[in-house]
């Protein structure tokens, strides 16, 4: 299949919408990462997403709509707390899980009785959903297991020849995926930390739980159990001061390895490695979030044999950053203090 590389003009959106109506898949920009969209009511269309990504069939997809009122079309009920969350965070980097009324294809929900819904806060993403006049099932537009795409070029790299089209809307803003919240119980549960923080949610509804199994045992969200976001070279997280960090760089270089580093200021200026990727400043973690996947993919085009990454406090947006880094990493080196 030849992949149509489209700009974000009205004309292109119409072409992309026509692909979607013909049950083809199209990648499009959102404020979090690029999504890979298909008609959520069509088993045929949705199966093409799983095939293009190599995504396990038991990992359900988020359904994207363009207006809060459309949520009603796909759920049995919206509890009062869920409505508050919808009113506050949608559109935005926030996904709500509610009881499904069975209108979306069963492959979208992986056979679960719940459905995940999001409204992207991106003019192109929303315009495409509107133009197609369809709910779009859309996971991140990368090969399964790889870092999510934050540019159209990333999508092209992973999926050229496998999908009908890619709409280029420039680099995404948030850079990490949406926060996924299960609102089917009495107290909502965060299944995946993301662009909206736990603290922001608490301010609106008082209490929200963090899924205890965010990494281990019986995963509540099927996506929790798979490897994710992995760059080609092994990624090690390094907890410690700059001298400890440098010690680790020296250690791997002594083994003849080219060492890549992902870090922020001031650390990045205090160490010497073969290849460094600067992710902004430690006191602005939104910038780290925006650049993280870009950084992980950057090293795929270098000769780095190993990548060492700085770690961040597990709070506010740092929670989502650490969730992704922990999944992407194969090892965690800690300084004994
Ligand atoms: P992705 O679109 O790849 O960024 O991931 C979507 C995330 O939402 C995955 O972790 C899915 O497992 C999760 N998800 C989607 N639908 C549901 C659902 N009905 N119940 C629980 N988790 C879900
Ligand atoms: Mg993904």
């Amino acid at each position: 299949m030849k992949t149509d590389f489209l700009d974000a003009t009205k004309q292109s959106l119409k072409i992309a919408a026509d692909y979607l109506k013909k049950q083809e898949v199209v990648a499009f920009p959102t404020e979090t990462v690029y999504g890979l969209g298909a008609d959520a009511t069509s088993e045929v269309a949705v199966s093409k997403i799983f095939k293009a990504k190599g995504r396990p069939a038991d990992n359900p997809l988020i359904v994207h709509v363009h207006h809060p009122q459309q949520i009603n079309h796909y759920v049995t009920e919206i509890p009062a707390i869920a409505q508050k969350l919808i009113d506050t965070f949608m559109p935005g980097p926030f996904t709500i899980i509610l009881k499904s009324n069975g209108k979306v294809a069963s492959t979208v929900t992986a056979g679960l009785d719940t459905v995940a819904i999001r409204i992207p806060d991106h003019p192109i993403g929303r315009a495409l959903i509107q133009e197609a006049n369809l709910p779009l099932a859309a996971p991140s537009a990368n090969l399964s297991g790889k870092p999510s795409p934050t540019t159209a070029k990333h999508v092209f790299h992973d999926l050229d020849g496998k999908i009908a089209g890619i709409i280029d809307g420039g680099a995404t803003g948030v850079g990490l995926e949406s926060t996924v919240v299960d609102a089917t119980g009495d107290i909502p549960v965060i299944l995946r930390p993301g662009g909206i923080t736990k603290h922001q949610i608490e301010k609106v509804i008082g209490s929200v739980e963090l899924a205890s199994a965010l990494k281990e045992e019986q995963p509540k969200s099927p996506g929790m159990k798979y490897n994710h976001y992995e760059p080609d070279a092994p990624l090690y997280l390094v907890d410690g001061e700059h001298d400890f960090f440098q010690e680790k760089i020296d250690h791997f270089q002594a083994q003849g390895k080219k060492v890549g580093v992902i870090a922020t200021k001031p650390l990045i200026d205090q160490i010497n490695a073969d290849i460094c990727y600067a992710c902004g400043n430690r006191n602005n973690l939104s910038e780290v979030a925006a650049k993280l996947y870009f950084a992980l993919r950057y090293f795929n085009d270098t000769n780095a044999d190993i990548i060492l990454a700085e770690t961040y406090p597990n709070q506010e947006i740092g929670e989502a950053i650490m969730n992704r880094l922990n999944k992407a990493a194969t090892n965690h080196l800690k300084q004994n203090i």
Side-chain angles (χ1 to χ4, degrees):
M1 170 184 293
K2 188 173 172 326
T3 299
D4 207 353
F5 203 79
L6 300 159
D7 57 21
T9 56
K10 263 205 163 134
Q11 176 67 15
S12 294
L13 286 181
K14 205 174 160 322
I15 294 170
D18 284 341
Y19 284 132
L20 293 167
K21 287 179 201 164
K22 285 188 221 146
Q23 305 188 314
E24 294 297 339
V25 297
V26 173
F28 61 96
T30 80
E31 82 280 27
T32 57
V33 301
Y34 273 73
L36 186 59
D39 176 357
T41 63
S42 160
E43 299 280 355
V44 172
V46 171
S47 71
K48 291 179 184 173
I49 293 181
F50 284 95
K51 185 156 178 251
K53 284 187 56 110
R55 182 169 172 116
D58 66 348
N59 192 3
L61 307 177
I62 296 170
V63 177
H64 292 64
V65 297
H66 70 82
H67 193 279
Q69 276 189 339
Q70 294 179 317
I71 298 172
N72 294 294
H73 299 174
Y74 307 105
V75 305
T76 55
E77 57 164 346
I78 302 182
I81 289 184
Q83 191 61 53
K84 257 193 177 171
L85 292 170
I86 292 167
D87 293 344
T88 312
F89 299 118
M90 298 173 80
F94 184 87
T95 295
I96 195 150
I97 292 178
L98 294 164
K99 288 271 181 217
S100 169
N101 66 5
K103 290 248 171 73
V104 298
S106 63
T107 39
V108 170
T109 59
L112 300 173
D113 63 355
T114 52
V115 60
I117 303 185
R118 180 166 111 79
I119 306 173
D121 190 11
H122 192 289
I124 300 170
R126 283 236 295 288
L128 177 67
I129 301 168
Q130 220 165 345
E131 179 72 37
N133 197 22
L134 292 168
L136 296 185
S140 49
N142 52 280
L143 287 176
S144 230
K146 301 291 172 196
S148 302
T150 52
T151 67
K153 202 169 146 217
H154 292 161
V155 181
F156 197 73
H157 177 272
D158 277 18
L159 300 175
D160 182 31
K162 297 181 169 184
I163 59 176
I166 301 171
I167 303 174
D168 187 355
T172 57
V174 178
L176 296 180
E177 298 85 345
S178 59
T179 304
V180 178
V181 171
D182 182 345
T184 59
D186 291 338
I187 298 179
V189 182
I190 297 176
L191 301 185
R192 175 177 75 184
I196 299 290
T197 65
K198 183 167 186 275
H199 190 212
Q200 282 175 286
I201 298 170
E202 278 165 349
K203 275 206 259 178
V204 177
I205 56 166
S207 64
V208 61
E209 280 171 15
L210 196 61
S212 55
L214 264 175
K215 227 190 155 189
E216 70 274 343
E217 31 163 21
Q218 273 290 331
K220 179 126 198 259
S221 178
M224 289 172 174
K225 70 183 174 207
Y226 294 107
N227 284 352
H228 258 112
Y229 322 116
E230 287 181 350
D232 294 345
L235 174 77
Y236 281 29
L237 306 188
V238 182
D239 265 359
E241 304 290 325
H242 68 91
D243 47 356
F244 179 72
F245 214 106
Q246 189 64 50
E247 210 177 277
K248 296 301 155 197
I249 295 168
D250 297 345
H251 168 80
F252 290 113
Q253 284 180 334
Q255 295 175 359
K257 291 185 171 148
K258 294 270 182 242
V259 180
V261 165
I262 301 174
T264 57
K265 277 178 184 290
L267 180 68
I268 197 97
D269 296 329
Q270 296 166 322
I271 46 127
N272 276 305
D274 294 292
I275 312 148
C276 288
Y277 189 94
C279 262
N281 201 301
R282 197 172 167 87
N283 61 23
N284 180 8
L285 293 192
S286 297
E287 196 177 343
V288 180
K291 290 187 172 157
L292 183 64
Y293 291 139
F294 198 97
L296 292 174
R297 282 181 177 260
Y298 168 82
F299 284 102
N300 291 349
D301 296 326
T302 71
N303 60 353
D305 299 304
I306 184 165
I307 307 165
L308 305 184
E310 184 183 9
T311 61
Y312 303 95
N314 211 352
Q315 47 189 268
E316 298 298 336
I317 194 69
E319 192 154 37
I321 295 170
M322 287 313 298
N323 171 267
R324 307 309 191 268
L325 278 174
N326 277 314
K327 287 193 175 192
T330 50
N331 213 335
H332 197 153
L333 309 173
K334 296 180 190 179
Q335 185 169 21
N336 294 318
I337 320 175

